[in-house]
Amino acid sequence: MIQLTIDGQIIQVEEGSTVLQAARAANIHIPTLCDHPELTPYGGCRLCLVEVDGFRTPQASCTLPASSNMVVHTNTTKLQEARKFILTLIFSERNHFCPFCQVSGGDCELQNAAYDEGMANWPISPTYNPYPVDASHPYFILDNNRCILCRRCVRACSDLVGNHTLGMEERGARTMVIADFGLPLGSSTCISCGACVQVCPTGALIDRWSAYRGHVHESDVTETICIGCSLGCGIQVRTRDNQLLRIDGNWQTEANEGLLCETGRFQPMVENRQRITSPMIRKHDQLTPVTWEEALQEIAHLFNAAPGGIAALASTRLPAEALYAFQQIFAEKLHSELVTSTEEGKTTAHAAALARQIATPFEARLDALKQADCVLLIGTDLRASHEVASFFFKRKLLLGTRLIVIDPTPNPLNEFAHLVIKATANSDLFQTLQTSPTGDLATAAQILAQASHPVIIYGEGITAQPSANALQALVQYAHHIKASLMNLKGQANSLAASQYGLEKPFVLKGQSITYLALGDEQPTQHLIQQLEAAPTLIIQASHASALTARAQVVLPVTSWLEQEGAYISFDGRVQQAKAALPAPTNVRTNLAVLQALANCLNLTIENTWKEKLNQSTPAVQIA
C-alpha cells in the first residue's frame, strides 16, 4: 500500500493505482470524459487535470501513477480555468448545441461536465463542418457531429471485446470514428455487442429504442441476469411506464464484466412475436379462450383418458424451480417414461454420466478462461452460442494468448486463430495429440504444452456424438497437459435440467399426449418436426407459434423479463433472475402454472430444487 494526500485528505491505495483511482476510492470528484473505469487509461481529454506539489504543470490524473507522499490538489483556480477552456474547445469543435441532442438533460457526460464547471455557454464561435450520420446499422446510429474523440468506443471494441472494428480516420479537427476501413457500420465486421454504445459519453452513439424516449438516467433499473445462454451475464434492464427501454451490461458482475452480445443486449428489443394472453382450448377445431379452471380441468381429463401415456418436454430456459416442479409432476408422480428437455441432453448427457462415473467434477469455472494464455476450441461455435465467453480471450490475442480451433465446419473464430485444424473431433484425435502427433496436430500439441494456463472449450462436436469415447479421451488429454476443461453447454439452465435428469432423447413411442413447457423459447424447426407425430399437444407458452397453433390446450406464461427464478450457469454459479416488467393480466409464471396443474391433479410437489441439484455428482461444482 502507498499513502498520498489529495485535497488535504490522507489516502491509502494499492501500489500501481492512478491518482484518479485514488481520488475515486476516497469519493473525491475529479471530472473526466475520455476515462472509463473498465478501459485502459488514455489521457486524451485532459479534463481530469490535477496539480501536484513539485510538478511544474498540471497532470492528467487518469494516467498519473500515485506515489508515496504525493500531495495532490484537484480544484484550484488554475485547474478550474483550464477545465473551462478545455470544455470550450470541445463544445466549439463540433455541433454540441444541447437542445437538439437526444441525450441532453442529464444523460450526456459532456453537458454534465460543463454544468459542474458553472458553464452556461462557451465564448468561442463554432467553426465546425457537418459530418455524415451513419444509420446503416440495425441497432444503433453513429453521429460524428456529436463525437468528442474520446475514443472510448474504439477502446471498448478493441480492449474489451477484441473485435477491432472501430478506429479513427484523418487527423486534428477532421478526425472521425470509422468502422473497418471506412465501411458503413451495417456492412462492417461489427458483431452488434453494443459495448461502444454503452460507453459513449455523448450522443455520438445511440441505440434505436431508448433515444428520444426520455432520459435514461430517470428510467427504472432492475439488476438481473440474461438467460440467452448459460453464461448468466449480469444486466441492467431499464424500463419506463412498464415498457422495455434498453438493456445495459452490469459492469459489477463477475461473469461478463459488463459485456453483452447481440442476443443479450438487442434481440429482446426487437421481439415481435404475438403474445398469448388467455388460456385456450381447441373447440370445433379452433382455439377458444377459456378460464384457467376450465383449461386445467381439460388437461386433467385428457391425462386421465390417455391410453398411450404421457410424454413431457421442458425448455431449458425455464427457472430451476419450474424445471424441478416439472420433473416431479411427470417423472416422479405420473411416472411418465419420456420426460426430458428441449435440448435432450445433447450438451450435457455424456459429461453428466462421466461425472457420476468418476464421482468428481472435472470442469473448470469461467475465471480459468480469463487467465488463459492458450485456448483450444473444439466442436463449438461461440459466436452463435456463447459469444461473451470469446471476448475474454479475443482481447488478449494481440498480447500473446494463442487460439487453436478444431472444427469440421467453418468457425467464425477461425480468422482470429493461430492454428485451424479442419478435422472431425473423435477420440483418436486426442490420443494422437497425447502420444504421437504429426503435422498440424504436432504444432497444436506444442503450443498447448508450452502454455502456462491452457484452457480447452468443447461443445456439441464432442457432446452430441453417439458415445462418450471422445469426451473421455478429451478429459484424459486435458489432465495430461494440466489444462482447464470447459463445456459451455446450451441454454440458460442446461446444467439444472441435466441434474434433474431431463436429458433423454425425445422419441415418441406411442404416447397419446405430449405436454410441452415451452415458456418463452422460440421453437426450432427440429422441435416442430419432432412434435408433428404427437396426437394431442398441450403447451404452456408465452408466444404464439406453429406448435401452439395445433395444440389442444394452450396455457399463457410469462416471458423471461416477467418472472423470477434461479439459473445455474455452465460453471455452476447459482444466480437469481428478477422480474423487470409486469406480466399481462391473466398470464402466470411457469412455476405457478405447474403448481396449479399439480393441485388440479391432486399431486404434492416439493420446493427442494436446490438440494436436488447436488444429489448426483455434477460435471462442474455447483455453488
Side-chain angles (χ1 to χ4, degrees), residues 144-161:
N144 271 289
N145 297 284
R146 304 293 185 186
C147 181
I148 59 172
L149 305 179
C150 66
R151 291 168 171 78
R152 276 198 200 176
C153 58
V154 177
R155 291 146 61 205
C157 187
S158 299
D159 299 350
L160 298 183
V161 180

Side-chain angles (χ1 to χ4, degrees), residues 96-102 104-105 111 115 122 146 212:
H96 296 296
F97 286 101
C98 296
F100 301 97
C101 185
Q102 65 280 349
S104 176
Q111 186 185 60
Y115 285 147
W122 61 91
R146 304 293 185 186
Y212 301 105

Side-chain angles (χ1 to χ4, degrees), residues 331-549:
E332 296 181 12
K333 305 296 182 178
L334 297 180
H335 306 291
S336 302
E337 294 183 0
L338 181 54
V339 183
T340 187
S341 74
T342 51
E343 289 187 36
E344 305 173 72
K346 291 178 181 176
T347 65
T348 56
H350 289 334
L354 181 57
R356 290 191 293 268
Q357 178 183 333
I358 63 178
T360 184
F362 58 87
E363 293 177 356
R365 300 182 76 87
L366 184 61
D367 286 345
L369 182 60
K370 297 177 182 180
Q371 304 300 321
D373 58 354
C374 181
V375 177
L376 169 62
L377 296 181
I378 181 150
T380 180
D381 180 355
L382 296 188
R383 174 73 190 276
S385 60
H386 300 80
E387 189 169 28
V388 171
S390 70
F391 299 164
F392 296 126
F393 59 81
K394 277 175 58 181
R395 66 193 188 189
K396 296 168 61 180
L397 295 180
L398 296 180
L399 302 177
T401 295
R402 312 286 284 178
L403 174 61
I404 304 168
V405 177
I406 299 178
D407 205 323
T409 60
N411 192 304
L413 290 176
N414 284 352
E415 62 179 299
F416 298 96
H418 298 86
L419 180 62
V420 176
I421 301 176
K422 295 181 182 290
T424 301
N426 53 50
S427 59
D428 291 339
L429 173 66
F430 307 116
Q431 290 169 356
T432 303
L433 274 169
Q434 188 168 347
T435 55
S436 56
T438 59
D440 286 342
L441 287 177
T443 304
Q446 184 178 16
I447 294 173
L448 287 162
Q450 292 174 345
S452 300
H453 302 286
V455 171
I456 300 175
I457 302 177
Y458 68 98
E460 288 196 42
I462 300 294
T463 62
Q465 291 194 19
S467 75
N469 293 340
L471 177 59
Q472 291 173 348
L474 180 58
V475 172
Q476 293 173 1
Y477 178 65
H479 179 74
H480 174 71
I481 65 171
K482 296 180 174 57
S484 298
L485 191 62
M486 292 181 183
N487 169 20
L488 301 184
K489 305 174 179 64
Q491 297 197 92
N493 254 337
S494 291
L495 180 55
S498 174
Q499 290 302 105
Y500 296 146
L502 304 175
E503 49 186 8
K504 292 181 180 178
F506 183 76
V507 181
L508 289 173
K509 295 182 178 179
Q511 287 89 350
S512 54
I513 294 177
T514 298
Y515 189 100
L516 173 60
L518 188 64
D520 64 358
E521 180 178 340
Q522 188 161 357
T524 62
Q525 193 62 37
H526 175 68
L527 179 61
I528 294 171
Q529 291 173 351
Q530 281 182 305
L531 293 174
E532 284 180 351
T536 301
L537 188 59
I538 301 170
I539 301 180
Q540 60 181 69
S542 59
H543 294 84
S545 68
L547 292 176
T548 60

Side-chain angles (χ1 to χ4, degrees), residues 58-91:
Q59 303 292 310
S61 62
C62 68
T63 57
L64 180 64
S67 60
S68 293
N69 302 319
M70 179 181 279
V71 179
V72 180
H73 309 279
T74 71
N75 201 30
T76 65
T77 300
K78 182 177 181 180
L79 291 175
Q80 292 172 0
E81 292 175 351
R83 288 169 184 157
K84 286 183 180 180
F85 180 65
I86 290 168
L87 288 168
T88 294
L89 293 177
I90 294 175
F91 272 102

